[in-house]
Amino acid sequence: MGEDLRGLLRADLDAERPPPLGDLVDVAMRDGRRVRRRRRLMGGGGAAAVGVLALVVGGGVLSGADELGGVAAGLAPAVTAPVPSGVPVTRAAGKSPGSVPISPPPPSVSPARTRTLAISSGTYGPAEKRKKATSAAMVYLLSQLLPSAATGDYSVAPGGELRVRAMLNNGLGPGMVSVEVTRIGVGPPVPKRGQVAKVSIAEFPDDCRRDTSVVAGWPDGTQVRLDVAACLPDGGTGRVPAPPMLDPDIGAKIAADPRWGTEMDASLVDVGGKRYPDLPVFAG
C-alpha cells in the first residue's frame, strides 16, 4: 500500500501545471526598467525643472496658455526702471561696483578770502559845488581812475540807476568791472561824510562772475561797490573765462575815492554829460 500511495501522489503531481516562472521574470524586468526610468527623470528632469524655476524667479513671466513644453516661448524679459540723473543711489550689499550707478561728489568750493581796512579819503571843501550824480558822471570818473590803456566799452544800468560797467583789456584777455553807488539810511541825525572809508575786500577763487568784490562805506551811509569779473557773458549760453584785470588793492583805492556819491562835483556831472551823452544800456 505504501507503493500504491507513492504512485498516486506522483501521478497527481505530474498532472499539475508548472509554476509561471516566465511571467515572474517578465514582471521583474519591467519593474526594473521602470525604476531606472524614474531615476533618470529625477536626475535630468529634476535639474531642468530647477532651471525653469530659476528663470521664473529671476524675472521671466510664464504665459497662462503655455504648458511646460512651451516655457521658453512664454518667458518675457524683466524691465528695469531707469534711475533719474542727479538722484543719489546707495550701493546695495553684494553688488559689484559697476552694477549700481553712483552720484558724483559735489564740487568743492573754496571759501572767500576777505579782509577789511580803513582808507583816508579826505573831504570836500565848502566852496565846491555839488550836483545830483548821473551815470555819465560816474563813467567819466571811472575812466580817470582805471588804467587808461585797459579801459573801454562803457555801459550803464537801465532806469537811471547809479551803476556803470567798463570792459577791461590789458593784453591778456577781456575782463569787466562794475561800480554801483548807493546810500543807506543812518541817523537821525545824519552824520557828516567823514574822512575815513571802511573798505572790505573779498576774493572768490571759484566764482569768475565776481572774482573780486570791494565795498567802501562812509559814516553818512554812502556806499560804493566795485566788482571785478574774470569771465564774460557769451550771448546767454554760458561764460567765457578771462584773467583778472584789476588788482584788489587798486580796486580798494578806486572804491574809496571821495568823489563818489549820490551827489558829485558839478564839474564831473557837466563834463560827463558832454563826453558821454548817449551811453549804451546793459541788461539786468
Side-chain angles (χ1 to χ4, degrees), residues 1 33 46 49 52 58 87 111 119 152 156 167 182 190 213 224-225 230 254 259 261:
M1 185 169 179
R33 287 194 296 268
V52 171
V87 177
I119 297 179
V156 299
M167 303 301 291
T182 58
V190 178
S213 182
V224 177
R225 181 186 182 95
I254 293 175
R259 290 173 287 181

Side-chain angles (χ1 to χ4, degrees), residues 237-270:
T237 59
R239 289 185 173 269
V240 180
M245 294 290 106
L246 198 64
D247 183 88
D249 292 329
I250 296 177
K253 292 180 180 179
I254 293 175
D257 190 281
R259 290 173 287 181
W260 295 113
T262 54
E263 290 185 347
M264 300 177 71
D265 287 346
S267 58
L268 292 174
V269 176
D270 295 340

Side-chain angles (χ1 to χ4, degrees), residues 51-165:
V52 171
L53 178 60
L55 286 174
V56 173
V57 173
V61 180
L62 286 177
S63 170
D66 291 332
E67 298 295 337
L68 286 178
V71 167
L75 289 175
V79 178
T80 303
V83 179
S85 61
V87 177
V89 178
T90 302
R91 180 178 297 172
K95 295 288 186 180
S96 63
S99 63
V100 180
I102 301 175
S103 299
S108 59
V109 177
S110 303
R113 298 190 295 265
T114 60
R115 52 195 171 105
T116 303
L117 58 152
I119 297 179
S120 178
S121 63
T123 57
Y124 290 102
E128 294 171 333
K129 187 178 180 181
R130 313 279 290 171
K131 283 187 177 182
K132 183 179 179 180
T134 63
S135 298
M138 291 181 61
V139 167
Y140 178 52
L141 176 58
L142 186 59
S143 68
Q144 293 180 318
L145 297 174
L146 287 173
S148 57
T151 306
D153 296 330
Y154 295 101
S155 58
V156 299
E161 297 181 39
L162 296 180
R163 187 158 49 107
V164 300
R165 287 180 181 175

